[in-house]
Amino acid sequence: MALLNKIPKENSAAEGQKRVKEPLFHIVKRDAPVWYKAWLIRAAAIVLALLLCAVVTVLLARNVNPLDVFKAMISGNFGTVRRIWVMLQSLSILLCVSLALTPAFKMRFWNIGGEGQILIGGLATAACMKLLGAKMPPVLLIFVMLAASIAAGAIWALIPAVFKAQWNTNETLFTLMMNYVAIQIVSYFTMVWEAHKGSANIGIINSKTHYGWLPQIGNEYLLSIIVVLALTVAMYIYLRYSKHGYEISVVGESQNTARYIGINVKKVIIRTMILSGALCGIAGFLLVGSIDHTITPTSSNNRGFTAIMVSWLAKFNPLMMLLTSFLIVFLECGAKEITTKFSLDKSFSDILTGIILFFIIGCEFFINYQIKFRHSQKEVA
Amino acid sequence: MFTMVRFVTLFHQAVLQGIPILYGSTGEILTEKSGHLNLGIPGVMYFGAISGVIGAFLYENNVPTGEALNPVLAILIPMLSAMLGSLLMGLIYCFLTVSLRANQNVTGLAITTFGVGFGNFFGASLVKITKSEVPSLALPRTSLLFQTQLPFADKLGVFGQLFMSFGFMTYLGVLIAILAALFLRKTRTGLHLRAVGENPATADAAGINVNRYKYSATCIGSMIAGLGGLFYVLDASNGIWANGAFGDRGWLAIALVIFVVWRPDLGVPGSIVFGFLYISYLFIDGLPMRASELFKMAPYIVTIIVLILTSVRKNREHQPPASLGLSYFREER
Amino acid sequence: MQAAPAIELKGVTKTFGHVVANKNVNLEVRRGEILAILGENGSGKTTLMNMISGIYFPDEGQIFIDGQEVTIRSPKDAFNCGIGMIHQHFKLVDLFTAAENIILGVNDGKKYNVKEAAVRVQEIADRYGFILDPNKKIYDMSVSEKQTVEIIKVLYRGADILILDEPTAVLTPQETGRLFSVLRNMRDDGKSIIIITHKLHEVLSLSDRVSVLRKGEYIGTVNTAETNENELTEMMVGKKITLNIDRPEPKNMKNRLVINDITSVDAFGHTVLDHVSFIARSGEILGIAGIAGSGQRELLEAIAGLQQLRSGEIVYYDPKIDIAVDAEKASEEELQTLIAEDNLILRDPETRVRADLRGKTKAELERMQAGGAAFVRHPRVNLRDKTPTEIREMGVRLSFVPEDRLGMGLVGNMDIIDNMMLRSYKKGMSVFVDRKNPRNLAEEIISELEVVTPGPTTPVRRLSGGNVQKVLVGREIAANPKVLMAAYPVRGLDINSSYTIYNLLTKQKESGVAVIFVGEDLDVLVELCDRILVINSGRVTGLLDGRSATKEEIGLLMTKTDDRQEGEADGSAE
């Protein structure tokens, strides 16, 4: 009885049934945990996940010392100066895509079409390099490439956005489908422009003339890293300090409030998705123009999907994404090294990434909710 | 020339392409009917496929060459291992999204990463064990059993060739799809499941155990999808596993769900249409190879069109389940 | 010997925190009768019924069914006792047919057969005179049909005590009439029916007995045949309580907002605002009284630019702009129109005294002008069909404290500073938002209104109800409005916070703002407001002077129906 008296008003019908069954525990939403507690939980999850990864590696590759697994991981990322650069470069591209998706997610628009938007942006870049390479001065060419990739990515994102704004068409499914349309278009052009008949591969574009290759700053890696760092700061400022960013937050939190203060929700959806697609286009531009100098249907390497997790794990905070994208890239590079060192298949890294993601995804629950056991006296505190 | 013979071949091809997608979409429809968008279905199918392949591999390699396989075991072992493997994936997905209320999209994508990685890893490991020269693994004897057509198929002329010339899993896939449709429409449990996906709060108030339905639907759905992966390897690809060969069929399964507006029975013709679209470049003579890539876009384009049409027309019957993608937490009402 | 009552409550008490929702309530319902539970909003009717239907568990007291004490801990227990409740918010799956919804969750061990169930549903419907197609989908149904499904759902499960929570709130008069005749059939069949309502005429036309609750307390039960509207109103509103809210005399009243014959229809085709006209004047508080859902929300939203109108206009006289009027050049007609609109203002450069110009002719005005007086008028702006942004861009200073504080007025997950910006973020040409001024404003509001919060960067979701409201009201007042609308601004607030809000509104009035206050507590309305507009089912039923109006008077206007409506309801009922 003493307990029943204190049942707060919110607990309704179903709560009553629960009490009769006297469950062992019940789940309460936590009220914004202290930040260090949240990070402690996340760190614990990552440690647990890494331990499990080590166990899995030991099981799958015989005669391995678990410590060597971690050593390999670290050496995969920091073993040589080149490895550090490669790691930072792939971090920059993943971060770029994550930045692109973030404004959409903040608006509660599930843009899972990053993959397609990157590819179509990359394709636009490749097309400019291929077709306009010799026809215009190099500096102009690069600007045309940039503009083309931005436009391509933006259009790819705009299509689902218009339908979402106008008819509330499910954006998750729409953007997902758009990915595969883009992949097929890219496969088509890899065949149109194939380097050797039947190879279905463009090969390095303008490998002799270097038309449309982005300039190197210091070394071949630095350019994209600098560009993306600048974008990170810009996106942080955009979301945190600009009027657009503020509108995105309001629309994402409550469309009713947006209506109340007179925000044009449709306009915000379309504008934000154009931005999202344009940034994915830039990722494609960097990928093709500065790093790969070629394009294949797998150029984006699932970054459109991985970036969703990077953005989500960072709670849509661009600065935090530096950390979460590092985590993912660290895992990928580390796992790659594990696979070479212990002669495992390269897909092994996906298994490890998957395991770690499961733990991080799962641990959010313990940050947001609290499990209260039946006999706990603090039940309704 | 377009001849009957050619049509029969094409139809056969289309069905073989379509059935794995049908399995996947039937499973995904069941899952989505409980309000969960499982973007992990490609991973689940992959995982199911490799689990089945491992099962088949272990059995086939334990029977010396020359000896006949026990047909019951040779069929049951891969099927059970495929179902078990995909069930495991389904359980991970459920635990994260239902019990831990994680974001469904993020969890699904992680499942896909994991499932595909797992599949490719073990695929590669098996290839390594066989010391094969090509990067693929062949299970010819098991595959032969899976491909055995109905005994009277030859005697029925064109009809037999068109409809009777498939392995048993083709019919099983069709049967499961039809049963799923009947289950959703004609049973009390089906009604309850649809209620859970449409309006979990109402279902809860009516005394339906929402979480139990979500778990069951997702796990059973995953097992069905896993069988689709198995079918692709052991029947459609003649028992040859090659890393990456499964391609984007998992995503096509999700597309098919939309294309058939969440109705598993429509999935049967729908999957064959997808199969046709997927191989439609074969219809046209003298088409360059590269054009086939554009034709492979067709299933996605028609899916987008269906998605747009259903949302523009606002037909209430053809919408995604109303609570799709949302976690249900009773206290948050 | 008389049979034991179907259900009997003895000494039932329920508290939520410090709020006593029900205090020592005794109640009995007999077999084959309709009992009305009457009370104002917040009198504890719904809480009481939720205890019978298993949603809440009483702190104290006993419940008897057919003379036997029972424990009802869940809706399931209530079902087992034969109790079924029809809530205001329907719990139905839109995509299902009526029959499918009705059998949802019922596992009677029989084979699943919707067709058979539909036949049984039809039988129940026919038996009591419901009009229902069991195979119709919920999304195709009107509100009244959905309600029918809810009632049959309860009957299908074998309930013989039915509780209906404000069933007529969402119905048209004709539908109400039909519902009543069905309820009478059910009573004649031996069912016990409890109907929660605050509409007097319904109580009188339907019920056998009436139990009245006031502020959580049980007042008494009377036989319907032996009572009348006045007695019930008195039982319901009680003796006047003196609140001592400061009410200065209004000064310098000018027409600020003129609502002219506006009509609005909701998505279901129901008329929610029916030819509403009134004037809000600067320097006074206009109260709006009415039972919940009489069109208050729609009215305020229409003014704020959030509601489409069928007809009518919303005119705002912008006091920031003076347009000179030359009495010599203007025609007599123009001048008289301006006077009638209360929009001809005397600007005496020396005295600046406002003079009453009513009854003045053109000639008189010309003479005054020759004597050095100057006349001005304010521009007349029609706000109808303007979006909130357009309204703001026209320079109209309109502030709105909506009923749904965290769902509309504020964003729960944002901190106080960011919530301050909702109104002002667009200001200026910069692409960046200015957080400095909002921060100052937030700190000002926190210190002046004594908002209890760890700081201005705390998400408002984590503040208590009273503090949330202070933040919202503070922000709306800080916008320096000329019109301030507040919907239920003290709902759920404790006494001290409530007085803070009253004082804020009064201060606004003194500084010349036209305040519109939608309230539910009649005691507050008669002490706070200068004039009280009463609305009932989207129509204006009275405009009273706040200083002379009595609660009974308002109560009657809130609940009475005009002859037309009464006739329709009764006509179809019999």
Side-chain angles (χ1 to χ4, degrees):
Chain A
M1 257 329 260
L3 248 177
L4 293 177
N5 286 344
K6 287 193 259 172
I7 298 298
K9 197 170 182 176
E10 292 79 34
N11 295 6
S12 54
E15 187 66 21
Q17 278 171 322
K18 248 181 160 178
R19 262 178 279 127
V20 180
K21 276 193 244 149
E22 299 243 352
L24 202 60
F25 59 84
H26 85 248
I27 294 159
V28 187
K29 194 151 192 174
R30 242 189 243 257
D31 217 33
V34 206
W35 66 270
Y36 66 84
K37 256 189 191 166
W39 283 101
L40 223 65
I41 293 175
R42 285 192 193 114
I46 292 170
V47 168
L48 277 178
L50 285 173
L51 285 178
L52 184 63
C53 285
V55 169
V56 169
T57 315
V58 171
L59 283 178
L60 293 180
R62 268 158 242 159
N63 306 324
V64 171
N65 180 348
L67 270 182
D68 289 345
V69 177
F70 295 120
K71 270 188 203 155
M73 256 190 161
I74 290 168
S75 100
N77 285 281
F78 303 106
T80 63
V81 175
R82 192 181 164 274
R83 276 184 188 164
I84 297 179
W85 282 115
V86 169
M87 185 268 287
L88 288 176
Q89 189 185 46
S90 37
L91 190 154
S92 71
I93 295 297
L94 180 62
L95 183 57
C96 181
V97 184
S98 313
L99 291 171
L101 301 183
T102 299
F105 292 164
K106 251 199 127 151
M107 198 176 62
R108 305 253 162 100
F109 182 109
W110 277 99
N111 178 14
I112 57 173
E115 196 77 359
Q117 291 150 22
I118 300 166
L119 277 177
I120 219 74
L123 183 65
T125 305
C128 291
M129 290 165 76
K130 197 96 193 159
L131 305 175
L132 305 173
K135 291 177 190 152
M136 52 176 71
V139 178
L140 180 64
L141 176 64
I142 285 174
F143 279 103
V144 171
M145 281 157 57
L146 178 63
S149 57
I150 287 178
I155 288 171
W156 220 245
L158 177 67
I159 298 167
V162 167
F163 284 98
K164 171 77 179 181
Q166 204 61 40
W167 290 289
N168 199 24
T169 309
N170 187 321
E171 80 279 10
T172 315
L173 299 171
F174 202 140
T175 50
L176 182 69
M177 296 300 125
M178 290 295 279
N179 287 338
Y180 298 95
V181 178
I183 288 175
Q184 292 305 332
I185 291 178
V186 171
S187 330
Y188 174 75
F189 279 101
T190 53
M191 289 186 182
V192 172
W193 294 328
E194 60 191 357
H196 309 287
K197 207 156 172 39
S199 67
N201 194 331
I202 298 183
I204 302 296
I205 305 171
N206 304 341
S207 57
K208 297 211 178 66
T209 59
H210 288 204
Y211 286 137
W213 286 35
L214 298 190
Q216 291 190 7
I217 303 176
N219 61 31
E220 54 186 303
Y221 311 104
L222 199 55
L223 177 73
S224 59
I225 296 171
I226 291 174
V227 170
V228 174
L229 269 181
L231 282 178
T232 310
V233 176
M235 180 56 79
Y236 179 77
I237 293 172
Y238 178 77
L239 289 176
R240 181 86 183 91
Y241 297 109
S242 82
K243 290 178 179 173
H244 285 188
Y246 183 73
E247 286 179 342
I248 289 171
S249 311
V250 175
V251 170
E253 288 287 345
S254 160
Q255 296 217 354
N256 214 12
T257 306
R259 218 167 57 89
Y260 162 75
I261 59 167
I263 292 176
N264 184 340
V265 175
K266 285 180 186 175
K267 193 174 109 189
V268 173
I269 289 180
I270 288 175
R271 186 180 70 203
T272 308
M273 275 306 283
I274 288 178
L275 174 70
S276 190
L279 283 176
C280 281
I282 291 181
F285 166 75
L286 290 175
L287 211 51
V288 175
S290 170
I291 299 172
D292 294 347
H293 307 301
T294 184
I295 187 160
T296 69
T298 54
S299 273
S300 75
N301 194 16
N302 270 335
R303 286 189 183 94
F305 294 127
T306 316
I308 296 173
M309 297 179 233
V310 169
S311 176
W312 184 77
L313 291 176
K315 296 263 185 283
F316 313 133
N317 178 341
L319 298 185
M320 212 76 97
M321 277 177 230
L322 283 168
L323 208 71
T324 52
S325 56
F326 170 71
L327 176 73
I328 303 275
V329 170
F330 175 83
L331 277 172
E332 277 174 358
C333 294
K336 212 175 282 166
E337 175 67 10
I338 292 175
T339 59
T340 0
K341 196 161 181 197
F342 307 116
S343 46
L344 297 164
D345 187 76
K346 64 177 169 30
S347 47
F348 185 68
S349 67
D350 289 339
I351 299 184
L352 296 191
T353 311
I355 291 175
I356 302 215
L357 286 177
F358 291 152
F359 273 82
I360 306 179
I361 293 168
C363 85
E364 290 299 308
F365 172 82
F366 297 96
I367 294 171
N368 294 320
Y369 299 91
Q370 226 170 341
I371 296 180
K372 300 210 158 157
F373 289 90
R374 182 159 38 126
H375 298 297
S376 149
Q377 278 306 303
K378 290 183 290 185
E379 176 124 19
V380 280
Chain B
M1 259 306 283
F2 191 84
T3 61
M4 197 62 209
V5 176
R6 191 157 163 217
F7 177 74
V8 169
T9 328
L10 279 173
F11 182 79
H12 198 93
Q13 281 294 321
V15 171
L16 287 186
Q17 290 296 334
I19 293 297
I21 306 172
L22 175 65
Y23 273 103
S25 85
T26 308
E28 179 72 8
I29 289 173
L30 284 181
T31 308
E32 291 194 16
K33 283 287 177 189
S34 75
H36 281 239
L37 176 64
N38 187 358
L39 293 182
I41 221 73
V44 171
M45 293 179 80
Y46 231 94
F47 201 93
I50 195 67
S51 306
V53 165
I54 292 172
F57 177 81
L58 291 179
Y59 179 66
E60 193 169 316
N61 273 23
N62 274 325
V63 178
T65 337
E67 259 179 58
L69 299 179
N70 177 339
V72 177
L73 285 181
I75 282 171
L76 276 185
I77 289 176
M79 285 186 75
L80 285 180
S81 16
M83 283 162 73
L84 223 67
S86 42
L87 171 67
L88 181 69
M89 287 289 97
L91 278 174
I92 295 178
Y93 176 84
C94 280
F95 179 69
L96 289 172
T97 58
V98 182
S99 298
L100 298 188
R101 292 167 201 150
N103 180 292
Q104 294 180 13
N105 294 341
V106 176
T107 310
L109 293 172
I111 293 268
T112 290
T113 304
F114 181 77
V116 173
F118 190 91
N120 285 337
F121 178 77
F122 279 91
S125 306
L126 289 183
V127 172
K128 213 186 277 170
I129 294 173
T130 57
K131 300 194 172 67
S132 156
E133 280 171 13
V134 285
S136 61
L137 173 80
L139 296 163
R141 288 187 288 170
T142 313
S143 169
L144 220 56
L145 285 169
F146 273 81
Q147 286 178 328
T148 308
Q149 54 185 27
L150 298 181
F152 43 85
D154 311 342
K155 296 177 192 121
L156 289 169
V158 173
F159 178 82
Q161 287 173 341
L162 269 183
F163 297 111
M164 296 295 167
S165 57
F166 300 100
F168 76 95
M169 272 192 83
T170 308
Y171 306 104
L172 182 67
V174 173
L175 185 71
I176 291 176
I178 291 168
L179 285 179
L182 288 175
F183 161 75
L184 286 173
R185 234 176 306 153
K186 301 277 179 197
T187 67
R188 178 173 288 135
T189 324
L191 180 80
H192 290 182
L193 175 62
R194 285 187 288 140
V196 167
E198 284 295 325
N199 191 337
T202 295
D204 196 358
I208 295 169
N209 187 334
V210 173
N211 282 359
R212 199 164 70 200
Y213 271 85
K214 283 175 179 277
Y215 259 94
S216 315
T218 307
C219 288
I220 293 172
S222 295
M223 289 199 283
I224 296 173
L227 287 178
L230 184 71
F231 174 89
Y232 176 75
V233 180
L234 291 185
D235 191 332
S237 325
N238 306 316
I240 293 168
W241 168 279
N243 277 3
F246 189 70
D248 57 355
R249 285 178 178 76
W251 300 112
L252 276 174
I254 293 177
L256 184 60
V257 173
I258 307 162
F259 181 64
V260 300
V261 291
W262 287 267
R263 285 183 54 184
D265 48 347
L266 289 183
V268 177
S271 64
I272 297 173
V273 169
F274 265 37
F276 262 115
L277 289 173
Y278 207 66
I279 55 162
S280 50
Y281 60 93
L282 294 174
F283 290 107
I284 303 153
D285 294 309
L287 205 65
M289 176 60 182
R290 59 179 180 241
S292 70
E293 297 300 325
L294 288 184
F295 276 92
K296 280 188 189 164
M297 243 160 54
Y300 296 110
I301 301 270
V302 295
T303 301
I304 288 174
I305 292 170
V306 168
L307 192 63
I308 292 173
L309 285 181
T310 51
S311 65
V312 171
R313 289 178 50 210
K314 292 202 165 43
N315 183 332
R316 298 295 299 263
E317 301 294 326
H318 299 153
Q319 297 298 322
S323 79
L324 188 64
L326 309 171
S327 290
Y328 175 62
F329 183 31
R330 192 186 263 165
E331 283 80 356
E332 272 169 10
R333 266 179 300 166
Chain C
M1 195 188 115
Q2 206 182 356
I7 184 163
E8 187 176 6
L9 274 64
K10 281 188 185 163
V12 169
T13 298
K14 177 79 190 170
T15 53
F16 297 112
H18 309 290
V19 184
V20 181
N22 284 130
K23 194 170 151 196
N24 200 16
V25 175
N26 299 296
L27 202 70
E28 63 166 67
V29 190
R30 301 179 191 136
R31 293 267 167 228
E33 80 161 351
I34 300 178
L35 176 80
I37 308 249
L38 185 66
E40 285 186 292
N41 295 326
S43 57
K45 297 167 298 201
T46 303
T47 308
L48 185 65
M49 290 306 116
N50 279 342
M51 279 189 277
I52 302 177
S53 59
I55 289 174
Y56 300 140
F57 193 78
D59 300 343
E60 284 168 36
Q62 298 157 293
I63 301 174
F64 298 86
I65 303 279
D66 292 327
Q68 295 215 309
E69 184 170 359
V70 292
T71 315
I72 302 173
R73 285 173 179 276
S74 70
K76 222 173 201 164
D77 289 353
F79 269 145
N80 293 339
C81 296
I83 299 168
M85 182 153 171
I86 291 99
H87 295 271
Q88 266 181 299
H89 301 285
F90 303 141
K91 285 203 176 300
L92 297 170
V93 180
D94 274 353
L95 206 60
F96 288 3
T97 64
E100 284 172 332
N101 265 293
I102 288 165
I103 58 171
L104 191 67
V106 178
N107 210 338
D108 47 12
K110 275 187 244 150
K111 204 178 154 293
Y112 173 78
N113 189 335
V114 184
K115 272 190 197 138
E116 226 167 71
V119 172
R120 275 186 64 196
V121 167
Q122 192 69 63
E123 273 169 21
I124 296 174
D126 292 345
R127 184 158 155 210
Y128 296 113
F130 289 106
I131 299 166
L132 180 75
D133 173 4
N135 297 316
K136 197 170 175 183
K137 299 264 181 166
I138 302 295
Y139 60 72
D140 277 334
M141 289 187 173
S142 67
V143 184
S144 105
E145 284 176 290
K146 289 181 191 169
Q147 186 180 59
T148 305
V149 176
E150 285 283 10
I151 298 174
I152 295 182
K153 191 157 108 186
V154 165
L155 292 172
Y156 188 92
R157 285 158 206 235
D160 45 21
I161 301 171
L162 281 87
I163 307 167
L164 294 99
D165 189 0
E166 313 233 353
T168 60
V170 290
L171 301 184
T172 64
Q174 294 87 333
E175 290 166 343
T176 304
R178 217 175 303 138
L179 173 68
F180 284 1
S181 81
V182 165
L183 293 179
R184 287 187 192 109
N185 291 341
M186 282 164 42
R187 168 192 60 195
D188 297 342
D189 194 47
K191 308 264 184 210
S192 309
I193 292 162
I194 306 176
I195 173 167
I196 303 178
T197 181
H198 40 216
K199 296 184 185 171
L200 282 181
H201 66 281
E202 293 181 0
V203 170
L204 292 170
S205 75
L206 178 70
S207 69
D208 299 304
R209 293 187 308 143
V210 193
S211 294
V212 182
L213 294 182
R214 189 202 310 148
K215 304 213 158 122
E217 282 185 66
Y218 172 71
I219 302 302
T221 301
V222 288
N223 287 326
T224 311
E226 297 159 13
T227 187
N228 57 44
E229 287 198 1
N230 288 333
E231 188 191 3
L232 288 177
T233 308
E234 209 180 296
M235 286 175 80
M236 192 163 82
V237 298
K239 291 254 161 10
K240 187 172 155 36
I241 303 162
T242 311
L243 295 168
N244 289 322
I245 300 173
D246 190 28
R247 176 163 56 186
E249 281 295 326
K251 281 190 296 243
N252 283 341
M253 289 194 294
K254 275 282 157 197
N255 287 1
R256 181 66 62 237
L257 199 60
V258 177
I259 310 298
N260 206 350
D261 200 31
I262 59 172
T263 295
S264 177
V265 176
D266 71 4
F268 304 105
H270 292 150
T271 306
V272 285
L273 292 176
D274 193 354
H275 299 283
V276 172
S277 298
F278 66 89
I279 296 168
R281 296 187 293 207
S282 60
E284 70 162 7
I285 297 182
L286 175 71
I288 294 183
I291 52 178
S294 297
Q296 296 95 321
R297 186 175 58 79
E298 288 82 1
L299 179 60
L300 298 197
E301 288 194 2
I303 297 171
L306 302 169
Q307 182 96 16
Q308 286 287 320
L309 292 183
R310 271 259 162 110
S311 67
E313 55 175 5
I314 297 167
V315 180
Y316 172 77
Y317 291 100
D318 192 341
K320 294 196 312 288
I321 301 170
D322 289 343
I323 300 172
V325 178
D326 190 335
E328 278 178 37
K329 283 183 188 153
S331 70
E332 176 80 48
E333 197 186 339
E334 281 166 0
L335 289 170
Q336 289 310 321
T337 314
L338 283 175
I339 292 173
E341 283 179 352
D342 192 21
N343 194 19
L344 189 66
I345 299 147
L346 175 67
R347 274 287 143 84
D348 190 323
E350 278 164 32
T351 57
R352 296 195 68 83
V353 174
R354 280 162 178 261
D356 193 348
L357 300 173
R358 261 175 295 179
K360 294 268 196 296
T361 63
K362 177 173 156 75
E364 286 172 289
L365 292 170
E366 280 177 21
R367 228 169 297 140
M368 290 170 76
Q369 191 168 309
F375 299 107
V376 294
R377 65 178 177 86
H378 297 317
R380 195 175 186 276
V381 187
N382 191 352
L383 305 185
R384 184 186 163 186
D385 298 337
K386 295 280 188 299
T387 66
T389 318
E390 287 167 343
I391 291 176
R392 201 163 39 225
E393 278 164 2
M394 288 189 301
V396 176
R397 293 259 197 75
L398 188 72
S399 281
F400 177 26
V401 178
E403 183 180 349
D404 187 359
R405 292 163 205 166
L406 285 177
M408 191 181 221
L410 299 167
V411 178
N413 282 333
M414 286 185 170
D415 64 20
I416 302 180
I417 298 173
D418 279 19
N419 269 295
M420 289 300 131
M421 279 158 47
L422 279 173
R423 276 280 178 223
S424 60
Y425 82 97
K426 267 194 184 141
K427 268 191 206 131
M429 298 299 290
S430 165
V431 292
F432 296 108
V433 288
D434 161 37
R435 273 198 176 75
K436 222 178 87 202
N437 289 326
R439 171 180 279 274
N440 294 340
L441 176 61
E443 278 164 358
E444 215 178 288
I445 288 174
I446 290 170
S447 71
E448 270 183 30
L449 302 187
E450 290 164 354
V451 178
V452 182
T453 166
T457 52
T458 306
V460 290
R461 170 175 52 88
R462 280 202 265 151
L463 305 181
S464 73
N467 290 309
V468 166
Q469 187 67 329
K470 283 179 192 170
V471 170
L472 176 55
V473 173
R475 183 191 74 203
E476 290 303 298
I477 287 175
N480 221 341
K482 294 296 172 190
V483 178
L484 172 64
M485 304 190 286
Y488 308 109
V490 297
R491 183 180 282 174
L493 267 52
D494 61 36
I495 296 288
N496 285 331
S497 307
S498 299
Y499 274 90
T500 310
I501 302 290
Y502 301 144
N503 289 337
L504 284 171
L505 296 180
T506 304
K507 260 189 214 146
Q508 287 299 302
K509 152 184 149 179
E510 285 184 293
S511 64
V513 175
V515 180
I516 299 175
F517 171 86
V518 175
E520 49 199 346
D521 189 333
L522 297 184
D523 285 316
V524 173
L525 279 162
V526 296
E527 283 204 32
L528 176 70
C529 303
D530 301 300
R531 290 184 301 150
I532 299 166
L533 183 81
V534 188
I535 56 174
N536 180 355
S537 314
R539 249 173 295 169
V540 174
T541 50
L543 180 62
L544 307 168
D545 184 326
R547 287 174 177 73
S548 61
T550 65
K551 283 163 66 184
E552 288 73 17
E553 219 179 326
I554 301 171
L556 276 176
L557 285 169
M558 276 163 59
T559 49
K560 81 160 191 192
T561 26
D562 60 28
D563 298 337
R564 181 164 60 99
Q565 205 177 350
E566 196 105 54
E568 277 169 6
D570 282 354
S572 49
E574 299 310 324

